[in-house]
Each structure stands twice: as C-alpha cells, then as structure tokens.
Amino acid sequence: MFLNCHTYHSLRYGTISVEDLVQLAVQHQLKVLALTDINTVTGIYQFYKLCQEKGIKPIVGVDVRVENEQYFICLAKNPKGIAEVNRLLTNYNCEGIEIGKANLELKDSFVIYPLTNIPEKLLEHEFIGIRQDELKRLFNPELKALTHKMIILHPVTFKADEEYELHKVLRAIAGNTLFTKLIEDDYCKSNETFIGKRGLLEKYSQYPEIIENTKYIVDECSFDFDFKTPKNKKYYTENKENDFKLLKKLAYEGLDKRYPDDNVQAKARVDKELAVIDQLNFCGYFLITWDIVQYSNRMDFMHVGRGSGANSIVSYCIGITDICPLELDLYFERFLNLNRKTPPDFDLDWSWKNRDTILEYIFKKYGKDHVAFCGTNVEFKSRSRFRELGKVFGLPKEELDELSKRPKEHHDQNSIVQEIYKYEKLLIGFPNQRSMHSCGILISEEPITNYSALEFPPKEFPIVQFDMHTAEDIGLEKFDILSQRGLGTIKDTVKLIEEKRGIIVDIEDTRISKGETKCNEFLSIGKTIGCFYIESPAMRGLLRRLKCDNYKVLVAASSIIRPGVAQSGMMREYIFRHNHPDQFEYFHEVFEKELGETYGIMVYQEDVIKIALHFGGVSAENGDVLRRAMSGKGRSLSALQKLKDDFFESCRKKGHPEQLSEEVYRQIESFAGYSFCKAHSASYAVESYQSLYLKAYYPIEFMVSAINNGGGFYRMEVYVHEAKMSGATIHNPCVNLSEFQTTVYDTDVYLGLMHIEKLEATIKQFIPEERENNGDYRSLEDFVKRVNIGIETLQILIFVGAFRFTGKQKYELLIEARFLFSKGQYKTKIISLFDEPQKDYKLPIIQRDRFEDAFDEIEILGFPVSHSIFDLLKTKYRGHVLVKDLLKYHKKQVKMLAYLISRKHVPIKKKSHPGKKDDMYFGTWIDAEGQYFDTAHFPDSLRKFPFKEGGIYLLLGTVEVDYHFPTVTITKMAKMPLVADPRYSMDQEKSQEIERSLRENVSMTSREPYPQEFEIGLPRQKML
C-alpha cells in the first residue's frame, strides 16, 4: 500500500536512509514496499537486497518530477520497466528531451498520476493516486467517475515530526532560500510518514475498487534482479573462444619479447594464468584493457599500468603493465583466483593532458549506450552543513564564516545557532549531490540504461546514479582510467630534451633509470623535489632515514609510507630493522624465508597471502580472501570469523604453538587492509625512477616540465626555486621570449605567461601566437597595435617586466601606455602595412627603489624573481646555523632563519588524556642558501608560538637526528618583518599588504594518531 516512498537519495528532499526505510516497514509488519525516489534509481539495488533479507516484496520505480512539479510515479512491472524509465530520465538529463506530462509509451511500467496532473484519457497501465486527505474530493462527480482507475497513494518522506522540519530545511537548501520564505508547494504534506496498514485501509473502506486496484498493481509488479551474472561487456571479439585465442596469441608474442631467453618459469606462469582467466570468463576484460593501451601507444601517449593487475604475467606480456611479476615474486592470486567471481581492477594512469582523449576513444569505440562513469554520492561535509544551514536561517556572511571555519567553542551560542546544531547533527551522512567517480569507467554488455538513468555532471561525461560499490554488487566492474601530472612531466621533459639538446631519451626503457648510481645517490639524500610520489616532506624524510639507494628499498618505501601501514607500526619497525639488521631475530623461520627482503615485516598486501600460505597452510586463494575480508571489501563479520577459525585450525594441524599463531594473526589483522599491493608500489617506484633519472641528468628541462605540468605536492614557487637551485637563471615573463608555458634557452628559463593570474587565458595564448606569425614586438606601441588588450591588462604586463626588451623603465612605459590609449586609436587591433614611426619623448629620470620589482613580482606571480625573499628582510641576520651543518648539532639548540614552504598537520595523543587527540605540525623550510630542512612543532610550542601564515621565521629549537635525518624540534618562533613595500611609502597599511599575502602549503589530516614505538609490540626475538 506504500507505493511512493522516498529516501535521502531524493536529494535535499527525503530524510530516510534505505536501511531505515526497510526497517520501518518491518516494524509496521509490511509484506510489500515500493521505493520511488525522485528522478533517481540510486537506492533500488540496496533496497531490493534488504527487502529480500526481511521477507518483504520489493517494488521499485521513480517519482518523476520536473522543476519541483510531480508529473507521475512509475512502478516497474519487471526489470524492463525500470530500464524504460531510466531511458526516459537519461534522454531528459543528457539530451535535453522534455518529459511529457501524460500518456508516455511505458509498456513495462505502471504510471500513477497525482490529482494535480490527471490526463484527458488514461491508458491501460495508467492510474490516479488518491491520498487519504483527498478522498473527500471524490464527491465531485467527475472524479468519482474515475475511481475504477484509482489506487491508494500514501507517500513516505520522513520518519517523525522532527524529520518533517528537517525535510523543510532541506527544501530551503535546495531552493537556496530562507526557511521562513518557504511556501506549501515547496515541501511535502505533514502526513508523509508510515502509519498502520489496517488504519490506512480503513480510510479507503468506502472505495473497495481503489483497494483492489492497489492490490492488482502490487501483484503485477515483480522486480527480480540477478546479482550473480557479470554485466560487463562479455567479449572483445564475437565470442569466448575467439577471445581466448587472441589473448593467448598476444600473451605468447609478448612472452617472446619480455623473456627472449626461453624462460621456462615464465612460460609455465603464462599458461597457468591463461587457464584461470579463461575459466573465469575474463578474457574480454583483459582484451578491452589491451585495446585501450594499444590506442594509447598509437597516439604516442605514455601510460602506467599499476595496482594488483601488475601481479599478472599475462598483463605484463601484452603490455598493460611494465612490472615483471617473477622479478618481484608477485602472486597472481592477489589479482585473480578461482574464489574471485568478479573481474579484477586494472588501474591505468595517463598524463592529465591525455586522459580525456583516452576517455573519448572508449566512449566512441564501445558506444555511448554502453559506457558511463561510476557515480559518487557526495555527502554534506561538516563545513557545508554549517554553511548551508546558516544561509537557511538567515545568518550574515561573517557569521557563516565563523560557523563553518571555527570550532564550536568559538561560536556565538544563541538560539539560532542551537537550532543549526540540531539540524547539523541530523544531516551527518546525508548525500548532498551526485558527482562523477574520479576514474571508474563502466562498459556494459547490455545498454547501461538497463541498470541506471544517466546524468551529466559538469565534466561532460555521463555517469550512472550509483557508486562503485553498487556497481560491483550488481556485476558491473569498473576500469580505472586515471590521470596524474607525473607522466606529463616525464613525457614533456623527454620532448624538451630532444627539442633543445637534440638528445633522444628512451625513458620507457626502465633499464636506463633503475640502476643508475646518480639516481640512487639522489634517492638516499632525498633530493627528489618534482619526482612522482617521492617529493613530499614525509617521503623525502623516509628516504633519508632508510638511506634508500636501490629499487627494492624504494618499492618498500612506497608502501610503508601509506598511513595505514604507519598506523599499524610497521613503518617504524621497518626503519629500525633496516638500519640495525643485527639487532633483531626473526621470530619464526617462515618470516625469514618469505619476508627476508623486508626483515620479517609485512610491508605489502601480498605478504598476507605469503604468511597465510606458508605459515598457516591455507591456499593462496583463501589467503587473498582473508586479505580482502580484513580490508572490509564486501565480506561479512561472520565470513571473517570463519576465515579466522580456519586459519587457527590449519596452524594447529601444522603444530604451531597457540601463542605464536595468535601473534601472527594479530600482525595480519593490524595490517591487511592498509597497504599497497607490492605490484602497485613497484609501478610507482618505476615512475619515480624515471622522473629521478631526468632530474639527475637533465635537471633544468625536468623542472621546467614540472612547472608546466602544474607542479605536484608544493606550490609553484617551490618548483621555480628548484629550477634555480639546478643551475637555471630565472627570468620574468617577456612578450618576446616567453611562451604560454615556461620555456628554456640553454640555462635561461623564461616564466610562461600562464603564471600571470590576472591575464585572460585568450591573451596568454594570443601573444606568442601573434609573435610567431608576424615577428617580434618592436616596441610597446607595436604591441598595442597587434594585440587587442585593455589598459589595465597592459599595465600588468608592464609591472611584471614583460617589456624590458625596450630598455625603458616601467614608469616610462606606463606613461607611454596612457598616452597611446588616450589617443583612442588602439581600442581594436590594427594591422597596417605602413606604420608611422613612434615619436620619442624625453622623460625625467625617476630613481626607483631596488626592491620595487620584487614586490611587483610577488603581487603578480606570487613570488619574487629578481631578488631572493631573504633580500627583502629588514634584518641582515641569516641565522646561527645553515642546513648543511645540521647533522653536527644533534641534541643541540640552534637558531635559524627560514622561509616557510609547507606544514603538515599531524594528530597525536594528548599527554594528559591519552584517549584524546592533540595537534602538532611538521614544517618544511628553506634557509638563506636555498636548502630544505624540516621542523617539528608540538602542542605546547604551538600554543605559545603559532604559525602566522607564509613568510620568513626566526626559529629556535633542538636538532634531533633520527636515522641520518635531522629535524629541528621548535621551542620558539617568530615571523620576521620584510622591508616596507617601497611602492606605497606614503601608506603604512598598504605597504604591509604584500607581506601578508605570502603563501604557504597547509596539509590537514583527520586520521588517528600513530602508535608510539613501545605500543607496537612487534617481537624482535624468536618465538618458540
């Protein structure tokens, strides 16, 4: 009888989760329930499963509304019914095809109209829904004549009165209006909640025909869904047999290329994998991925195949990945095994510049009716909850900022804020909008609208209305098509080296980078700014602590840096054992034999399989099931308990003491869900080495490419600084020498016009294009004639020094610009065959302050170019100690002067209340010589001496050298003043503006504090 139920997937409308909706139906002893969210099928698959579990017949459909007007409710008679409604919504969302208000051709759906939209005629599958409070209107003869086509309509939107008010709040958020400005048409009726079925039927007792019609619809609707059958595109060729033949042929061809010495082990591994792939019907999945990579190769794009897919020798042989699984002892079972009934994930990375081209190919090749992105449900985050609620209750901007940005203890505790608190708490976990999954592509065998309506987010690629977990649940496995800046940096560097030096570097031949002495030297000292994945302060510190000087240690470092691994204590223990290999014992010989490369510590996800197999005696397949269960990937607690019981039973059969087995399981449990698989780390490490090779041997070209690809972990200033430290001379943008992007002439680096934020994108592109077509700009007047530009934009170019080739001072150029524009003849671009020579005017020489240019540069570019930031200090003092001497000052106090690069927030356990968190920061700085170092700021120090945003600070602290890596633990610090901005010498407030605008990178985290060393408890002695 409840055929129009909404959940919170009816965005900014419903207030009930799918779980709560089904539970309420159980409480009301319902045997049938319908889910009809507004314009979406997001929740229908979860709803279907929950209803099946509770013995309730699920009916699914959609409440179709256009601009808040309810047109009708569709109830699917069968899976075809939901498909036709999906296509209706997809046409509206993606093609702009209007939805008709009545008499649509929906053969497999029932259509229920509200009284506000009764069509002139009703088709056989069409009915009118009548609410209990509308029954009195049936005394109207025209309506009474239609009772034979009416059904019971009792919508459900909220659980209780408090949630009815929340519903109204959501409607105000949706309408971007004040709560007090809502009108009745904006929100649902006050009775849209569950009531007793018997009481509801009594309301309609005078109209048995309406009750019978309702029962008829309920009986006729049957949404049976097969979750077990894969929904992905089945075959790359026309059938399974040909898919296998093609995959085998490609694998054998690749085997000959990858292993030219007739490697028996590799051949056996290929055959073993092919048998599993064929048995699980995954040949098509492999071949589609291969096809995408082949297209990439034809386009001369660079890609990285990573993740667990690199555990497969078949994917290595056919070119999807570049990691040899034999070299690194990678388990195929981690990627694919007979216990895994869903297709594996291939993670494929392209440059951020090329990814859209790859996506366009996939959509074109496999058809827009069969391809879509996964969706994501974006929840109301803490800040947005406060901000949206503040707007609904009419708070001014200043109070909105206070609410959303500051902790509760700093809020004004008035009655409105208390009301906001109430609703803020209720909104936790609510979806706010649907968005696009960052990389997950679905390619289906049947039209994808059989499973979901599609939507168009701003990125212009269609998305399904559910997330990746639902997709996997219903049998649609995603292809991860990712992008990153690191590959763009590598590819652009190779091109730049060829263009500027005539040298061709085959960077995809990993033999030239992985074993390079200079690369390994850079690794060991953390000289990795700009290099993919290994440039963050934390990673550079880890590399130095490990004195990392080879590929395998880098692979391990790429995994143990992960937050979960550090959380389990494995990172700290690995560092200790790496530096003190003679100060521990393997507590069991299996750990020495299987994990000797990582000192008996589980570093990779594969290590769980190894230990489960070789210590516990379980199969490799069940070892992977254990790993997946612990990582929470779709396994129930009862299933995990069974795996645990099986593990201990197997250990007993092998004769292991109970205490030893418990310790091994404890380590597995603390670790299994938190790390990279080894193949993933190895793939990252290869790319890290490629970028490191280019940084070591072609540092200027590499840094220029890093700049042009948007940098990475740090702000742009840091990469420009690194280019300077690499031997480059940095020049401001110049209209005659700069391109849109930064470019290099020998060791002279000219910043690109892209760095002038206030310059329009079209102007940035046009200036070098016009110069290319018609020659260098001869003067300011010549430039103004050829480039359609306004006086304000021209002034920005003058202030940044883009016309210094004229030999004129900025003030001269500004006066000339004003003169040119006052004549009014350059408002549109003029091309003249016969230019009149410009008249020269003699202007008095005006003495400029030597720092004026630097302040212009900070204002326009964000950082100084013509001077070091240290040159702008009022003081001449540069610190008691420089970075190069820090290792000599272990446990000693130092005073340093340093420029703040970045700071990382880290939660720690509160000393006075171990159960609570406190805040500390790690800072990264450069000294007056441009060298990097790191600081630690504990809560007591921060309370007295907090960060005051970007700038130069005087630091007082104690040096702590931790495994070759010095950190300064700060006791005091103070921000140092710059000289007053000479451009505003008459305005003291204005002369401080630039100093206040200096930037920094701040990285916040909400994870739990890492354990202390004494809390880890990893045995360092043999256990008997």
Side-chain angles (χ1 to χ4, degrees):
M1 302 303 158
F2 297 91
L3 301 181
N4 185 207
C5 297
H6 306 116
T7 69
Y8 58 21
H9 291 301
S10 295
L11 299 177
R12 302 185 178 193
Y13 192 97
T15 67
I16 312 173
S17 69
V18 178
E19 296 94 329
D20 286 348
L21 180 70
V22 175
Q23 191 55 42
L24 285 166
V26 171
Q27 291 170 14
H28 284 83
Q29 299 180 329
L30 299 180
K31 296 300 179 187
V32 180
L33 187 66
L35 175 61
T36 56
D37 273 317
I38 297 170
N39 295 346
T40 186
V41 295
T42 304
I44 65 171
Y45 299 104
Q46 182 189 14
F47 171 78
Y48 178 89
K49 278 196 162 184
L50 289 171
C51 285
Q52 293 277 359
E53 289 173 12
K54 302 297 182 182
I56 296 172
K57 177 181 178 178
I59 298 174
V60 298
V62 177
D63 187 336
V64 178
R65 303 191 184 195
V66 177
E67 294 181 357
N68 208 29
E69 180 186 354
Q70 186 179 41
Y71 280 15
F72 45 79
I73 300 153
C74 287
L75 296 176
K77 297 178 184 177
N78 50 51
K80 290 181 181 177
I82 207 69
E84 63 186 4
V85 178
N86 286 339
R87 282 188 277 278
L88 179 76
L89 292 172
T90 299
N91 289 338
Y92 177 68
N93 294 333
C94 301
E95 307 293 338
I97 299 172
E98 293 295 326
I99 297 174
K101 293 186 72 169
N103 302 142
L104 278 72
E105 291 188 18
L106 298 172
K107 298 177 182 178
D108 292 286
S109 301
F110 287 111
V111 174
I112 302 165
Y113 295 101
L115 284 187
T116 54
N117 183 34
I118 301 176
E120 291 184 11
K121 64 174 183 177
L122 288 166
L123 305 178
E124 184 181 350
H125 65 284
E126 296 180 328
F127 293 83
I128 300 165
I130 184 116
R131 295 167 178 250
Q132 55 179 302
D133 52 8
E134 294 171 337
L135 285 168
K136 56 183 178 293
R137 295 178 61 181
L138 295 187
F139 290 107
N140 180 316
E142 290 184 9
L143 286 178
K144 192 169 185 179
L146 295 171
T147 54
H148 70 288
K149 291 291 283 183
M150 287 183 177
I151 61 118
I152 298 170
L153 183 62
H154 183 83
V156 174
T157 301
F158 58 92
K159 285 190 288 191
D161 290 344
E162 185 182 50
E163 284 197 2
Y164 184 46
E165 295 306 305
L166 175 62
H167 162 76
K168 290 182 179 178
V169 167
L170 285 168
R171 300 308 298 140
I173 291 173
N176 195 25
T177 188
L178 295 173
F179 185 78
T180 53
K181 293 278 184 75
L182 290 173
I183 59 175
E184 271 193 41
D185 287 345
D186 291 329
Y187 50 85
C188 74
K189 305 290 185 186
S190 60
N191 64 352
E192 291 194 15
T193 186
F194 277 109
I195 61 173
K197 178 183 173 183
R198 183 177 297 176
L200 180 61
L201 288 173
E202 284 176 3
K203 301 277 188 183
Y204 294 83
S205 58
Q206 295 182 41
Y207 302 97
E209 204 169 8
I210 294 177
I211 296 174
E212 287 304 312
N213 287 341
T214 308
K215 288 180 177 177
Y216 166 74
I217 286 180
V218 166
D219 291 341
E220 288 296 308
C221 287
S222 178
F223 181 71
D224 292 319
F225 191 82
D226 175 14
F227 286 86
K228 294 180 179 178
T229 304
K231 311 299 186 300
N232 280 59
K233 181 173 174 58
K234 288 182 181 179
Y235 313 123
Y236 176 73
T237 63
E238 64 277 6
N239 57 50
K240 178 182 175 180
E241 290 73 23
N242 286 341
D243 270 8
F244 180 71
K245 285 179 185 176
L246 177 58
L247 182 61
K248 185 175 182 179
K249 174 178 175 289
L250 294 170
Y252 274 41
E253 288 173 355
L255 183 67
D256 290 339
K257 291 177 183 175
R258 296 289 199 183
Y259 304 95
D261 299 328
D262 194 25
N263 188 311
V264 176
Q265 185 186 4
K267 168 73 166 55
R269 174 78 172 253
V270 166
D271 289 338
K272 172 189 169 186
E273 289 190 15
L274 284 171
V276 174
I277 294 166
D278 183 44
Q279 189 172 338
L280 292 175
N281 298 318
F282 291 158
C283 292
Y285 195 91
F286 272 74
L287 288 169
I288 291 169
T289 308
W290 166 81
D291 172 64
I292 295 167
V293 169
Q294 288 300 107
Y295 173 74
S296 171
N297 293 340
R298 291 196 298 272
M299 295 297 291
D300 195 30
F301 294 162
M302 190 173 178
H303 90 282
V304 170
R306 57 178 176 83
S308 59
N311 287 57
S312 164
I313 197 169
V314 169
S315 58
Y316 178 56
C317 287
I318 67 175
I320 295 173
T321 61
D322 279 311
I323 302 298
C324 171
L326 301 181
E327 177 190 358
L328 294 170
D329 191 25
L330 302 179
Y331 279 42
F332 177 61
E333 290 79 8
R334 164 63 185 88
F335 177 57
L336 197 58
N337 59 70
L338 295 177
N339 284 329
R340 181 172 184 170
K341 303 305 180 188
T342 56
D345 280 352
F346 281 112
D347 296 338
L348 300 169
D349 284 358
W350 276 272
S351 162
W352 61 288
K353 296 176 181 177
N354 304 142
R355 179 177 180 249
D356 281 357
T357 305
I358 295 295
L359 292 174
E360 286 163 7
Y361 171 76
I362 295 170
F363 275 85
K364 184 177 179 181
K365 168 91 182 206
Y366 297 100
K368 67 175 185 175
D369 293 334
H370 296 267
V371 185
F373 265 91
C374 273
T376 57
N377 290 312
V378 182
E379 295 180 358
F380 282 99
K381 299 294 188 289
S382 177
R383 282 192 176 188
S384 67
R385 291 197 297 270
F386 279 114
R387 185 165 288 280
E388 295 288 1
L389 290 168
K391 286 193 288 186
V392 164
F393 288 100
L395 296 185
K397 183 182 183 303
E398 296 75 23
E399 290 187 48
L400 285 178
D401 291 340
E402 191 83 7
L403 269 180
S404 62
K405 293 179 180 178
R406 305 195 69 191
K408 283 186 176 181
E409 52 265 30
H410 296 291
H411 295 171
D412 184 353
Q413 301 295 323
N414 56 49
S415 58
I416 293 178
V417 171
Q418 293 302 316
E419 193 80 352
I420 288 171
Y421 284 170
K422 179 176 77 174
Y423 292 115
E424 186 273 334
K425 190 174 181 181
L426 290 171
L427 276 179
I428 293 173
F430 267 51
N432 179 26
Q433 60 186 8
R434 273 182 296 278
S435 185
M436 188 169 84
H437 188 278
S438 59
C439 59
I441 291 279
L442 306 174
I443 304 176
S444 61
E445 176 69 20
E446 297 180 12
I448 205 155
T449 48
N450 284 4
Y451 313 110
S452 173
L454 304 182
E455 297 180 0
F456 249 150
K459 281 249 181 177
E460 291 302 312
F461 287 107
I463 64 168
V464 295
Q465 293 182 321
F466 44 71
D467 62 19
M468 57 177 281
H469 302 293
T470 300
E472 182 177 345
D473 207 29
I474 69 174
L476 275 169
E477 286 291 331
K478 59 184 173 59
F479 295 77
D480 283 337
I481 308 297
L482 303 105
S483 68
Q484 46 150 292
R485 296 185 182 274
L487 283 172
T489 297
I490 292 169
K491 193 71 174 177
D492 287 357
T493 305
V494 170
K495 286 181 179 177
L496 197 58
I497 293 165
E498 184 177 0
E499 177 190 329
K500 299 294 182 179
R501 298 202 194 187
I503 299 171
I504 296 175
V505 179
D506 183 9
I507 199 63
E508 295 188 51
D509 179 2
T510 54
R511 290 172 296 180
I512 71 170
S513 58
K514 282 201 306 190
E516 281 290 323
T517 303
K518 196 170 183 181
C519 293
N520 290 332
E521 179 190 331
F522 275 34
L523 266 183
S524 66
I525 60 174
K527 194 172 180 178
T528 55
I529 299 287
C531 297
F532 174 76
Y533 199 69
I534 55 173
E535 66 165 341
S536 71
M539 193 64 179
R540 289 189 299 108
L542 176 59
L543 294 173
R544 291 181 67 180
R545 287 182 175 93
L546 295 173
K547 278 197 172 178
C548 177
D549 63 356
N550 64 76
Y551 173 65
K552 288 193 174 180
V553 174
L554 179 59
V555 173
S558 298
S559 185
I560 63 174
I561 195 69
R562 300 280 291 171
V565 187
Q567 181 70 39
S568 73
M570 299 291 187
M571 180 172 77
R572 191 75 200 167
E573 186 64 18
Y574 181 91
I575 294 170
F576 170 83
R577 294 187 180 192
H578 180 78
N579 283 282
H580 304 291
D582 57 341
Q583 294 184 26
F584 74 94
E585 295 178 345
Y586 291 94
F587 69 92
H588 191 275
E589 57 267 18
V590 166
F591 281 73
E592 182 173 11
K593 181 182 178 185
E594 300 300 330
L595 305 181
E597 185 182 289
T598 55
Y599 314 108
I601 295 170
M602 281 182 277
V603 167
Y604 313 109
Q605 289 178 354
E606 287 89 345
D607 294 343
V608 173
I609 305 174
K610 284 184 180 181
I611 296 305
L613 173 63
H614 296 287
F615 178 86
V618 302
S619 67
E621 291 87 348
N622 283 336
D624 186 55
V625 173
L626 179 65
R627 177 198 62 79
R628 286 175 61 80
M630 287 184 169
S631 64
K633 295 186 177 180
R635 298 295 189 272
S636 66
L637 289 175
S638 59
L640 181 57
Q641 185 60 49
K642 183 180 185 308
L643 287 165
K644 182 177 180 179
D645 293 343
D646 290 346
F647 175 81
F648 278 102
E649 178 60 30
S650 181
C651 286
R652 276 191 287 273
K653 288 178 180 177
K654 288 178 74 73
H656 296 312
E658 192 75 15
Q659 184 183 0
L660 176 60
S661 299
E662 286 176 358
E663 171 56 28
V664 172
Y665 192 83
R666 183 191 73 80
Q667 290 184 32
I668 292 173
E669 198 169 35
S670 69
F671 169 76
Y674 297 119
S675 68
F676 277 165
C677 66
K678 188 175 184 180
H680 194 98
S681 297
S683 301
Y684 269 9
V686 166
E687 188 178 343
S688 297
Y689 258 107
Q690 288 171 324
S691 55
L692 192 59
Y693 175 85
L694 295 171
K695 180 181 175 68
Y697 290 99
Y698 307 97
I700 296 176
E701 289 84 357
F702 177 75
M703 293 316 305
V704 166
S705 296
I707 289 166
N708 288 336
N709 279 276
F713 183 88
Y714 305 95
R715 63 184 182 275
M716 190 56 63
E717 176 184 9
V718 178
Y719 299 98
V720 174
H721 168 75
E722 190 68 9
K724 186 177 179 181
M725 297 295 287
S726 300
T729 302
I730 309 297
H731 299 275
N732 282 320
C734 169
V735 295
N736 272 342
L737 288 167
S738 289
E739 305 292 340
F740 172 77
Q741 292 189 321
T742 296
T743 192
V744 57
Y745 306 93
D746 194 17
T747 60
D748 290 304
V749 171
Y750 281 81
L751 295 176
L753 298 173
M754 63 185 275
H755 298 295
I756 306 176
E757 292 179 8
K758 294 180 181 177
L759 209 61
E760 290 180 16
T762 52
I763 295 291
K764 296 176 188 180
Q765 296 277 6
F766 182 79
I767 289 171
E769 287 174 6
E770 166 62 22
R771 186 183 73 226
E772 178 71 21
N773 292 332
N774 297 302
D776 285 357
Y777 301 103
R778 299 187 299 277
S779 64
L780 182 67
E781 183 175 20
D782 180 48
F783 179 85
V784 172
K785 285 179 180 179
R786 293 162 59 183
V787 180
N788 189 7
I789 196 170
I791 184 64
E792 291 82 7
T793 306
L794 185 62
Q795 286 178 169
I796 292 169
L797 287 169
I798 291 170
F799 279 125
V800 84
F803 295 98
R804 57 191 180 279
F805 70 91
T806 64
K808 296 180 179 180
Q809 295 287 329
K810 289 181 182 179
Y811 75 91
E812 294 180 83
L813 292 166
L814 290 168
I815 293 170
E816 183 180 343
R818 288 289 177 183
F819 173 74
L820 291 170
F821 275 83
S822 69
K823 296 195 303 187
Q825 60 177 323
Y826 302 120
K827 289 180 181 176
T828 58
K829 187 174 70 164
I830 299 170
I831 299 294
S832 174
L833 293 175
F834 305 101
D835 283 338
E836 294 182 13
Q838 182 186 338
K839 294 179 181 178
D840 285 331
Y841 298 90
K842 292 288 184 184
L843 295 170
I845 296 173
I846 299 175
Q847 204 62 32
R848 278 172 58 81
D849 186 284
R850 66 192 182 104
F851 292 138
E852 280 191 50
D853 285 345
F855 281 92
D856 282 340
E857 290 152 7
I858 295 173
E859 183 175 345
I860 297 170
L861 301 173
F863 51 87
V865 175
S866 55
H867 290 83
S868 160
I869 189 71
F870 289 91
D871 295 338
L872 305 184
L873 281 170
K874 280 185 176 180
T875 179
K876 300 295 182 186
Y877 180 67
R878 293 296 179 265
H880 171 60
V881 173
L882 292 169
V883 172
K884 61 188 177 185
D885 296 319
L886 276 180
L887 288 172
K888 303 174 186 175
Y889 285 84
H890 180 48
K891 297 295 183 183
K892 294 179 182 177
Q893 192 175 76
V894 294
K895 190 184 288 185
M896 303 183 73
L897 200 71
Y899 182 46
L900 180 58
I901 298 299
S902 67
R903 56 185 166 108
K904 167 76 173 176
H905 166 257
V906 178
I908 61 172
K909 294 179 180 178
K910 217 166 192 174
K911 287 182 181 178
S912 53
H913 298 86
K916 294 186 176 180
K917 290 193 287 188
D918 215 334
D919 298 320
M920 71 167 290
Y921 281 88
F922 287 110
T924 299
W925 312 74
I926 58 171
D927 68 3
E929 292 185 343
Q931 300 299 325
Y932 302 90
F933 72 101
D934 293 85
T935 56
H937 304 253
F938 288 93
D940 290 346
S941 168
L942 282 170
R943 278 188 274 274
K944 295 176 186 176
F945 304 100
F947 285 94
K948 295 182 178 178
E949 299 181 327
I952 298 176
Y953 286 70
L954 181 63
L955 306 172
L956 182 70
T958 303
V959 178
E960 303 285 346
V961 179
D962 181 39
Y963 300 111
H964 335 290
F965 177 64
T967 302
V968 183
T969 301
I970 300 301
T971 50
K972 295 180 181 180
M973 70 177 181
K975 192 172 177 181
M976 302 298 285
L978 302 183
V979 297
D981 187 340
R983 303 172 305 167
Y984 304 104
S985 56
M986 305 298 289
D987 187 335
Q988 186 175 356
E989 180 64 24
K990 196 84 172 164
S991 71
Q992 305 300 316
E993 274 188 8
I994 291 298
E995 183 175 347
R996 289 193 290 268
S997 74
L998 291 175
R999 300 173 186 178
E1000 61 167 335
N1001 298 106
V1002 183
S1003 180
M1004 301 297 293
T1005 182
S1006 57
R1007 63 165 171 77
E1008 290 302 309
Y1010 288 163
Q1012 300 298 307
E1013 192 165 357
F1014 69 87
E1015 295 176 295
I1016 295 169
L1018 200 66
R1020 290 178 182 168
Q1021 293 80 38
K1022 191 168 186 175
M1023 293 181 69
L1024 300 176

